Amino acid sequence: MKPKFDIIRLSKWFLLLSSAITVAGIVVFAIFGFNLGTDFKAGSRVQISFSQPVNQEKVGQMFQSIGVPMRDTSITVAGTRQNVAVVRFPEVLTSAQQNKLDGAEKAYFGKDLPDSVQTVDPFVATQTAHKAVYAVLIAAAFIVVYIAIRFEFRFAIAGIIALLHDVFIVLAAFALLRREVDLTFIAAVLTIVGYSINDTIVIFDRIRENLKIVKPKDVETLKQLVNRSLWQTMSRSINTVVTVLIAAVILYFFGGVSIRNFTFALIIGLVSGAYSSIFIASPLWVLMRGRSLKRGKRKETAKTELV
Amino acid sequence: MKWGRFLAFLLMAAVILGGTAGSVTNLWKSIPLGLDLQGGFDLLYKIEPLPGQPITESGKQALVQAVENRINSIGTESPMIDLEGQNELRVQLAGTFNQAHAKQVIGTTAQLQIYSSAKIDKKTGKITGPAGKLLATGSDLKSNATWVQDPNTGQNEVAISFKNPTQWENITKQYYQKPIYVFLNGQLLTDPVIKQKMYSGDSVISGPSLNTVQACNQLANSINAGALPYNLSLVSQQSVGPSLGQESLKATLWAGLAAMVLIFIFMIVMYRMAGLIADLALVAYGYVTIAVFDGMHIVLTLSGLAALVLGVGMAVDANIITYERIKDEMRNGRSLKSAVKIGNKNALRTILDSNATTFIAGAVMYAFGEGDIRGFATALMISIIVSLLTAVLLSRVLLFTFTNSNAIRRPWWYGVGKGVLKNDETKV
């Protein structure tokens, strides 16, 4: 099969693109930071579903009426019929305030359904955040060990860089779009870790297989081999991403509101994962492997000179 | 065409579809739903030691016992009480009830009370609540209640002791030969008859319900919990209104179903007959996963549901990898049968390696996560294992049986497009 398009030759641009996104991401983190959800920050989050469409202003008035100070930015109206209000407070609502809230809902919107109130203590929040970071790092470490055993160390390094790249892109997207980072977001990031490496492994597996047939002696044949492997796995890569994206996109638009953050993170992670498996992981491996090829050759020539 | 093989294939397909259609609704209904899906609330307490009393394992067990008794007195269905981390206690209550009341009952100190008489339901003869004079409370007891055996009769009993012995002396004098009633948070624990006047403040409780060591230990724990070994401070609470959970569940279920249908169509369009076989295996995947959830009594949460749908992605991927391999082998000029065989073999290693890495991620999530993340990780690990059994093993058996039946020989039916093979009609 003839390579349709020389991915490896253009890899410089892909690596440059990803580096640019990474730098942009760091700048965004530095300036804005994350929009942390109540899972990670002390405070309360009240989610109320109404039987009618509501607007920010009226919800704000309702909270003012029970003596809870409000900022307009802390109210989000969501739901297919604009009938769900999510309100965040930097302070923990007291039981008395929560009880008053029920009365106010009835007075303003004639509502008698209970709502969802979450409160979190910073102690639990920081603990959860730390655990999530550890989980990603430890998962990465275990995956490195597995790939190093099953493949070789260079594959493990390239795979992990691609994986961290995907996680970083999702984090950057959430920081940039000011999306709320909550517990389900962490679950999404961890899924992306699994998926991204899954994608990369399939391509690496094909490279490993082709390496058994042809043993490249110079960088040029190595590049050709990787290009060939990438195109051999291309229809699988595309078909798989398409099917999973179908599920993620449908869940995003029509699934429950509570998993919207999860599916959003997943969609970005899936696209980034497919991209990085093809355009980042394999070129990185070629770079590392190519360098060792050259070094090996130098050693060989040195030996012949000695002889 | 070999009819035997073809019939075997049809039979397998019928068993998968029939079995699933027949019992999937019942199975689905028996899976317990998480708080986010059916409503309820989740409380996280920090266990705080009293001055001079370090937190011990047995103390924590007594605490769990005490909290369980308190929750039972509210009368909610199947509460979940778990110790987490070093010094945290998580209580999950599903369903609808007075949440403020529940919080108060769990969070405040246990009310162990000894009364002089009790209200009795005339119809059933059951004791329904305290009456008469309050003789003593849990705060009057030392928290050293233990199970003992009567040295003469060998009967199981619970030994208790009063902080102030004269108090017990007075009670036993006054209620000699009469019953007294011990309540915990308004629920009758025991109603012993005073048989002796006591001077030391030590006593034993026995009764018909205290016939086993376990029952005695439970009561001893309850009494000790009456003086609660530690303070509980509420650090986090999450409550979900049932309507919100139901709405989310319904929306997610419909979206998941729509996604499944689209994936099924996609597979058939891409891989035709082979795609149809993959869809059969996917149905089996969905069914077996739900059955395993049911068998392991896994509480299904929203994130678990998402993991289930994502597991479908993993299962589909396994089939796509296999079919692409089969196509490769056909391009290399192999016959259909040997392409299916070699393609399957080559794909298996890839699938195992790629699933293993995701499984590792799941296992790490389970080990280092809590609550929702843990539920998600469990669902992910189960779906990977089930997907290996169905999307790989079962799908392979179905495909082999079908190809060996020679029912369809044109490679087009296996997703190989025209132009890939030079003369695809002859290569079978």
Side-chain angles (χ1 to χ4, degrees):
Chain A
M1 201 176 157
K2 223 180 134 197
K4 292 156 192 165
F5 170 81
D6 194 341
I7 293 168
I8 299 299
R9 182 169 309 170
L10 292 169
S11 63
K12 217 192 304 169
W13 298 106
F14 297 124
L15 293 176
L16 214 63
L17 173 70
S18 287
S19 309
I21 295 174
T22 309
V23 171
I26 290 173
V27 170
V28 170
F29 292 145
I31 298 172
F32 302 107
F34 281 122
N35 176 16
L36 290 178
T38 42
D39 289 335
F40 294 104
K41 207 168 62 175
S44 295
R45 177 182 186 274
V46 182
Q47 186 167 342
I48 317 165
S49 31
F50 299 97
S51 49
Q52 52 181 310
V54 293
N55 59 34
Q56 281 191 358
E57 208 182 325
K58 209 168 173 195
V59 175
Q61 282 171 12
M62 182 183 82
F63 277 97
Q64 299 279 12
S65 79
I66 57 164
V68 181
M70 288 297 309
R71 279 176 299 275
D72 274 351
T73 48
S74 53
I75 306 173
T76 319
V77 173
T80 41
R81 295 185 298 126
Q82 298 291 299
N83 62 336
V84 178
V86 178
V87 191
R88 296 202 22 220
F89 303 96
E91 66 277 341
V92 174
L93 286 186
T94 61
S95 299
Q97 281 172 322
Q98 286 182 33
N99 291 342
K100 271 193 204 160
L101 180 62
D102 284 339
E105 280 168 15
K106 251 174 239 166
Y108 273 76
F109 298 100
K111 177 185 183 302
D112 56 353
L113 295 169
D115 40 51
S116 147
V117 180
Q118 293 175 21
T119 46
V120 171
D121 183 276
F123 159 75
V124 185
T126 31
Q127 210 181 28
T128 316
H130 286 169
K131 272 189 181 150
V133 174
Y134 288 138
V136 172
L137 292 179
I138 293 164
F142 275 96
I143 290 169
V144 164
V145 172
Y146 182 84
I147 302 177
I149 292 169
R150 292 283 297 157
F151 293 78
E152 59 156 10
F153 197 62
R154 278 184 287 258
F155 277 120
I157 298 294
I160 287 303
I161 292 175
L163 184 154
L164 294 177
H165 163 269
D166 298 335
V167 172
F168 196 82
I169 295 233
V170 175
L171 292 176
F174 267 64
L176 203 61
L177 299 172
R178 311 303 304 147
R179 273 191 166 259
E180 200 177 291
V181 171
D182 56 11
L183 262 181
T184 56
F185 172 78
I186 295 299
V189 168
L190 290 163
T191 323
I192 291 158
V193 169
Y195 260 118
S196 160
I197 201 71
N198 191 58
D199 244 16
T200 314
I201 288 290
V202 174
I203 295 170
F204 281 177
D205 179 74
R206 190 54 82 103
I207 296 176
R208 174 174 66 176
E209 192 180 309
N210 286 337
L211 278 175
K212 276 183 206 151
I213 306 166
V214 193
K215 294 227 157 60
K217 295 238 163 53
D218 55 75
V219 180
E220 204 44 51
T221 43
L222 185 73
K223 282 182 180 173
Q224 276 171 18
L225 181 141
V226 173
N227 258 328
R228 198 167 59 238
S229 309
L230 283 173
W231 280 106
Q232 279 171 350
T233 49
M234 195 59 83
S235 44
R236 173 265 157 196
S237 301
I238 293 168
N239 287 354
T240 298
V241 165
V242 167
T243 44
V244 189
L245 267 183
I246 289 174
V249 169
I250 289 184
L251 279 175
Y252 177 77
F253 284 108
F254 303 107
V257 186
S258 3
I259 59 163
R260 190 147 293 173
N261 256 345
F262 177 91
T263 42
F264 183 76
L266 210 64
I267 290 169
I268 294 179
L270 284 172
V271 174
S272 165
Y275 161 80
S276 73
S277 302
I278 298 170
F279 299 107
I280 302 290
S282 307
L284 276 179
W285 181 80
V286 170
L287 271 181
M288 287 189 281
R289 183 67 189 249
R291 200 168 291 164
S292 76
L293 262 181
K294 276 179 202 152
R295 207 180 297 134
K297 208 183 272 167
R298 226 172 282 141
K299 262 184 212 156
E300 247 169 59
T301 44
K303 254 186 217 161
T304 43
E305 271 166 19
L306 274 176
V307 169
Chain B
M1 175 134 171
K2 292 174 190 160
W3 282 101
R5 291 274 166 84
F6 188 65
L7 284 175
F9 171 78
L10 284 184
L11 190 71
M12 279 191 275
V15 166
I16 292 168
L17 293 178
T20 304
S23 60
V24 75
T25 27
N26 281 336
L27 209 55
W28 177 256
K29 275 182 197 149
S30 68
I31 291 181
L33 298 176
L35 292 178
D36 48 357
L37 297 182
Q38 69 159 325
F41 76 151
D42 177 309
L43 302 165
L44 187 68
Y45 290 95
K46 195 173 169 190
I47 303 170
E48 286 170 343
L50 300 168
Q53 274 187 300
I55 295 173
T56 59
E57 274 312 308
S58 59
K60 282 203 268 189
Q61 289 307 325
L63 187 71
V64 170
Q65 180 67 55
V67 170
E68 195 174 335
N69 283 339
R70 292 176 195 193
I71 293 168
N72 287 341
S73 73
I74 312 170
T76 61
E77 277 173 59
S78 56
M80 278 176 53
I81 305 156
D82 293 306
L83 287 165
E84 272 182 19
Q86 289 266 297
N87 53 358
E88 281 155 41
L89 183 82
R90 186 181 293 277
V91 178
Q92 295 189 311
L93 302 171
T96 36
F97 45 86
N98 186 336
Q99 297 191 345
H101 171 68
K103 234 186 315 184
Q104 200 184 7
V105 169
I106 298 165
T108 52
T109 308
Q111 292 294 311
L112 184 82
Q113 293 160 321
I114 301 177
Y115 277 89
S116 62
S117 70
K119 283 183 215 153
I120 295 170
D121 190 315
K122 276 177 189 152
K123 278 180 199 159
T124 58
K126 273 186 186 163
I127 291 164
T128 55
K133 196 178 146 199
L134 176 62
L135 302 173
T137 67
S139 56
D140 296 323
L141 290 176
K142 288 184 189 168
S143 56
N144 63 350
T146 51
W147 158 73
V148 289
Q149 267 181 316
D150 188 293
N152 303 322
T153 61
Q155 195 187 13
N156 291 309
E157 295 169 334
V158 178
I160 53 167
S161 44
F162 277 77
K163 285 176 186 164
N164 176 7
T166 25
Q167 188 187 9
W168 185 227
E169 191 190 322
N170 291 337
I171 294 170
T172 51
K173 266 185 196 162
Q174 200 181 344
Y175 294 93
Y176 181 62
Q177 297 293 8
K178 286 180 197 159
I180 55 167
Y181 302 88
V182 183
F183 288 94
L184 183 70
N185 291 328
Q187 287 241 314
L188 185 76
L189 275 181
T190 178
D191 53 344
V193 174
I194 309 282
K195 291 173 185 160
Q196 252 178 296
K197 287 171 202 161
M198 306 291 287
Y199 301 97
S200 66
D202 294 328
S203 181
V204 292
I205 306 174
S206 63
S209 67
L210 294 173
N211 50 359
T212 62
V213 180
Q214 206 188 359
C216 290
N217 276 329
Q218 204 172 335
L219 177 59
N221 279 340
S222 301
I223 291 172
N224 294 339
L228 210 62
Y230 313 113
N231 279 333
L232 290 178
S233 69
L234 186 66
V235 288
S236 151
Q237 66 151 336
Q238 182 181 345
S239 66
V240 180
S243 62
L244 189 75
Q246 290 285 316
E247 206 175 295
S248 277
L249 175 66
K250 240 189 227 164
T252 306
L253 274 182
W254 279 113
L257 207 65
M260 286 285 271
V261 169
L262 272 181
I263 288 173
F264 279 19
I265 294 171
F266 179 84
M267 287 301 281
I268 294 174
V269 169
M270 291 305 295
Y271 303 104
R272 284 107 191 182
M273 191 59 212
L276 194 67
I277 290 174
D279 291 347
L280 269 178
L282 280 178
V283 170
Y285 159 83
Y287 180 75
V288 175
T289 313
I290 292 174
V292 172
F293 270 52
D294 190 46
M296 288 176 70
H297 300 290
I298 286 172
V299 176
L300 195 63
T301 59
L302 267 183
S303 51
L305 207 60
L308 208 122
V309 179
L310 288 169
V312 176
M314 303 278 295
V316 173
D317 186 43
N319 282 304
I320 291 179
I321 289 172
T322 309
Y323 297 156
E324 288 297 329
R325 282 288 185 164
I326 293 173
K327 272 162 76 171
D328 284 350
E329 293 306 320
M330 284 200 202
R331 283 194 196 101
N332 292 342
R334 284 188 200 280
S335 74
L336 176 63
K337 270 187 215 167
S338 72
V340 167
K341 213 170 158 188
I342 307 264
N344 259 298
K345 201 180 126 203
N346 285 339
L348 186 64
R349 192 194 47 222
T350 314
I351 295 166
L352 283 180
D353 270 338
S354 60
N355 276 285
T357 44
T358 308
F359 192 85
I360 289 171
V364 171
M365 265 186 254
Y366 183 83
F368 294 93
E370 255 167 37
D372 266 8
I373 292 181
R374 220 168 211 203
F376 175 78
T378 314
L380 189 65
M381 285 191 286
I382 290 172
S383 49
I384 289 174
I385 292 168
V386 175
S387 130
L388 284 179
L389 290 175
T390 54
V392 179
L393 212 67
L394 180 70
S395 175
R396 175 188 268 236
V397 170
L398 283 169
L399 192 65
F400 281 161
T401 318
F402 186 75
T403 48
N404 284 335
S405 77
N406 285 337
I408 292 174
R409 282 182 281 190
R410 273 187 63 202
W412 185 86
W413 283 102
Y414 295 87
V416 181
K418 274 191 182 155
V420 170
L421 302 176
K422 277 165 206 146
N423 38 2
D424 61 344
E425 291 298 323
T426 52
K427 267 186 192 141
V428 283

